[in-house]
């Protein structure tokens, strides 16, 4: 008697499964996926700067030009692999802090001095000598910002791994969805795969450089310590799956 009940229950389960599969036949399912790879950073982008202030605008500009040339020559000597780019040359007046009297609102204020500065962007894959290079440059220039990332060649090499990881995650999710619907993963036919550039590999825009006084004296600077860290490259993918 128990065997009969078992067979009846088995038949009922089989019929229910077939009915459920028929109900989900032709269903279109949108399945998202995501994959990522991690890689140690192999490139540094440092921003060095110089700023001078003087009552004579020409004198301030002359010192900035001289020190920037000296600092650039130091970086080139310490790291021949570095790619250099000068940017952000600025000149603006500095006024006294004395308040303007109410009856003198139309008075043209005269600057008490001039502030002149310039930035030098250094991009290099030579991380081993980076502390030594920055230390040497800091004898004249100031370190304004430092960011680590991946070289273009490394990013290209990781592209295939990033795509494969995203697609593998998508197929795993499709199998999980099929199981939840009581279907066989082989019943799922992928109609569309949309690889979406998520932008996760792009480095954040560097913050705007803040003006700061550079040291007036040339002196020996101890080497700084840097930890390049790693970068995570991610990719999103969306699949349209139809069950037979």
């Amino acid at each position: 008697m128990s065997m009969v009940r078992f067979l009846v229950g088995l038949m009922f389960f089989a019929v229910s499964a077939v009915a459920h599969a028929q109900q989900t036949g032709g269903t279109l399912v949108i399945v998202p996926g995501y994959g990522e790879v991690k890689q140690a950073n192999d490139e540094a982008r440092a921003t060095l700067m110089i700023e001078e202030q003087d009552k004579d605008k020409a004198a301030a500009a002359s010192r900035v030009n001289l020190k920037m040339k000296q600092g650039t020559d130091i970086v080139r000597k310490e790291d021949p692999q570095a790619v250099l780019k000068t940017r952000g040359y600025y000149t603006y007046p500095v006024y006294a802090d004395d308040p303007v009297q109410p009856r003198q609102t139309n008075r043209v204020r005269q600057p008490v001095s001039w502030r002149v500065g310039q930035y030098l962007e250094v991009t290099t894959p030579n991380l081993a000598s980076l502390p030594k290079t920055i230390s040497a440059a800091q004898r004249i220039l100031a370190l304004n910002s430092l960011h680590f990332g991946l070289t273009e060649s490394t990013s290209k090499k990781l592209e295939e791994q990033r795509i494969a990881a995203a697609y593998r995650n998508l197929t795993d999710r499709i199998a999980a969805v099929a199981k939840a619907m009581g279907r066989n993963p082989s019943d799922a036919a992928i109609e569309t795969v949309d690889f979406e550039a998520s932008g996760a590999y792009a480095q954040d825009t560097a913050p705007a450089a803040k003006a700061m006084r550079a040291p007036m004296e040339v002196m020996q600077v101890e080497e700084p310590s840097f930890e390049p860290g790693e970068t995570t490259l991610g990719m999103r993918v969306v699949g349209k799956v139809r069950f037979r």
Side-chain angles (χ1 to χ4, degrees):
M1 188 69 179
S2 58
M3 179 59 69
V4 174
R5 290 180 178 177
F6 173 75
L7 293 175
V8 171
L10 187 62
M11 291 176 61
F12 178 78
F13 176 78
V15 172
S16 299
V18 172
H20 182 69
Q22 291 175 347
Q23 290 175 357
T24 58
T27 301
L28 180 64
V29 181
I30 308 299
V31 182
Y34 179 77
E36 64 179 29
V37 293
K38 294 184 178 182
Q39 176 67 34
N41 290 325
D42 59 354
E43 182 178 82
R45 185 172 69 239
T47 301
L48 302 168
M49 61 90 64
I50 182 67
E51 181 179 279
E52 292 288 338
Q53 185 172 331
D54 198 290
K55 293 181 180 180
D56 186 343
K57 180 168 60 174
S62 180
R63 290 202 300 272
V64 166
N65 297 345
L66 176 61
K67 292 186 176 183
M68 179 55 72
K69 183 180 184 305
Q70 293 173 339
T72 300
D73 290 341
I74 289 175
V75 174
R76 283 202 177 103
K77 179 182 177 181
E78 295 292 335
D79 186 0
Q81 291 181 270
V83 177
L84 308 184
K85 178 181 179 182
T86 55
R87 61 177 179 82
Y89 199 110
Y90 61 88
T91 303
Y92 60 88
V94 177
Y95 298 96
D97 295 333
D98 55 310
V100 179
Q101 299 299 324
R103 295 182 180 181
Q104 298 178 334
T105 54
N106 295 328
R107 180 171 66 94
V108 178
R109 301 180 66 192
Q110 296 297 324
V112 296
S113 63
W114 293 86
R115 188 168 291 168
V116 182
Q118 187 179 9
Y119 296 91
L120 174 66
E121 188 175 281
V122 181
T123 303
T124 178
N126 194 353
L127 302 187
S129 65
L130 181 64
K132 183 174 180 292
T133 301
I134 296 298
S135 174
Q138 284 181 310
R139 295 200 299 266
I140 296 177
L141 306 178
L143 179 62
N144 180 262
S145 65
L146 179 64
H147 303 277
F148 293 96
L150 300 177
T151 60
E152 183 177 355
S153 59
T154 300
S155 297
K156 288 182 179 179
K157 290 179 181 178
L158 294 175
E159 182 71 5
E160 183 177 345
Q161 298 179 29
R162 189 165 63 103
I163 293 174
Y167 189 76
R168 185 166 53 250
N169 180 258
L170 175 64
T171 55
D172 290 344
R173 289 193 172 192
I174 291 175
V177 169
K179 183 178 180 181
M181 296 175 63
R183 300 297 301 269
N184 193 310
S186 61
D187 294 337
I190 300 178
E191 293 188 348
T192 305
V193 177
D194 178 18
F195 287 96
E196 178 187 45
S198 64
Y201 57 89
Q203 302 301 304
D204 293 337
T205 304
K210 297 181 180 179
M212 55 187 292
R213 294 301 304 274
M216 299 301 294
E217 299 180 2
V218 177
M219 60 183 66
Q220 184 66 33
V221 179
E222 293 297 325
E223 291 186 9
S225 298
F226 301 127
E227 294 295 335
E230 63 181 18
T231 293
T232 299
L233 302 179
M235 171 172 281
R236 294 187 177 88
V237 61
V238 176
K240 291 184 179 180
V241 182
R242 190 178 299 277
F243 285 93
R244 301 184 183 90

